[in-house]
Amino acid sequence: MSEGSDPSSADSSPDESRTDAEPSESASERDAGPDDGVPERNAESPQPSPALPFVGAFLTVVVAGLHLLHPSHGLLKLFVILNADPGLLVFDPRSFAFVASGIALLVGLSLSRNAPNRRPYYLAGIALALTYLVGYFAWHFTGHGGFLPGREPLLHGLSPVENVVSHLTTDVWAAVSKATEIALVAVLTVLYRRESSESDR
């Protein structure tokens, strides 16, 4: 061994090369992370809108109010009929149907606020809104309830389809009511499906 050579330098060089390689190796492991290559479900899955239940509640109140406060068949009209002759409801039950269904909507909305399972309330709201829609078109398509006993069809000289279109285009209250009912059915259907999917997880 020649003079000036340091034995420890030969022994320490492999260790130094190993220590130099170790930080790069650990850094790559830190960069990789345990979750690399695994898609995050929470990040990719769409989050439900928290505002949708409030939209459904708002539409429910609007639909109920449109029927309770209807200028021709709402609460005031029902009081007039009951004071005059309740038997008149047999020939035109719209006032009773409007008031009873409007109250039912508000009661169902109040009960659903703290209900552990809101799906029955969603279904009831959907069924009631569809009843409004079907009932309106059936009433005007048959000439103002021509299917009821003691009522003659009244189509104003129009075909059944023309009669329905005429009422929708000339009665703003009815047009707003039908549009709101369709929106309510759509929102409650989305809420029902969302709660059903969450309960199945």
Side-chain angles (χ1 to χ4, degrees), residues 65-88:
L66 287 171
H67 288 82
L68 288 172
L69 304 177
H70 194 281
S72 301
H73 310 292
L75 193 59
L76 295 178
K77 181 65 174 180
L78 179 61
F79 287 155
V80 171
I81 294 176
L82 292 178
N83 288 328
D85 183 6
L88 295 175

Side-chain angles (χ1 to χ4, degrees), residues 132-145:
Y132 284 145
L133 292 167
V134 174
Y136 179 85
F137 289 102
W139 181 269
H140 292 288
F141 194 82
T142 59
H144 294 265

Side-chain angles (χ1 to χ4, degrees), residues 17-193:
S17 64
R18 282 196 301 271
T19 55
D20 291 339
E22 286 175 3
S24 62
E25 193 174 328
S26 60
S28 63
E29 291 177 358
R30 286 195 302 270
D31 293 337
D35 296 332
D36 272 16
V38 180
E40 296 183 1
R41 294 183 179 178
N42 293 335
E44 293 181 358
S45 59
Q47 297 297 322
S49 172
L52 198 58
F54 295 99
V55 174
F58 173 76
L59 291 173
T60 301
V61 173
V62 171
V63 171
L66 287 171
H67 288 82
L68 288 172
L69 304 177
H70 194 281
S72 301
H73 310 292
L75 193 59
L76 295 178
K77 181 65 174 180
L78 179 61
F79 287 155
V80 171
I81 294 176
L82 292 178
N83 288 328
D85 183 6
L88 295 175
L89 293 173
V90 176
F91 303 100
D92 190 351
R94 284 178 293 178
S95 295
F96 176 79
F98 279 27
V99 173
S101 60
I103 294 174
L105 281 174
L106 296 179
V107 171
L109 176 62
S110 178
L111 294 176
S112 67
R113 291 181 60 187
N114 299 319
N117 180 14
R118 295 180 178 178
R119 284 180 292 176
Y121 297 96
Y122 294 149
L123 288 177
I126 293 170
L128 195 50
L130 289 175
T131 302
Y132 284 145
L133 292 167
V134 174
Y136 179 85
F137 289 102
W139 181 269
H140 292 288
F141 194 82
T142 59
H144 294 265
F147 55 88
L148 293 175
R151 289 187 66 92
E152 293 292 332
L154 178 61
L155 295 172
H156 308 287
L158 303 173
S159 69
V161 175
E162 291 173 340
N163 189 45
V164 172
V165 174
S166 174
H167 280 83
L168 280 177
T169 54
T170 57
D171 188 348
V172 177
W173 195 287
V176 173
S177 180
K178 297 310 115 184
T180 310
E181 290 157 12
I182 292 172
L184 180 61
V185 170
V187 172
L188 293 183
T189 301
V190 173
L191 289 171
Y192 177 83
R193 295 183 62 182

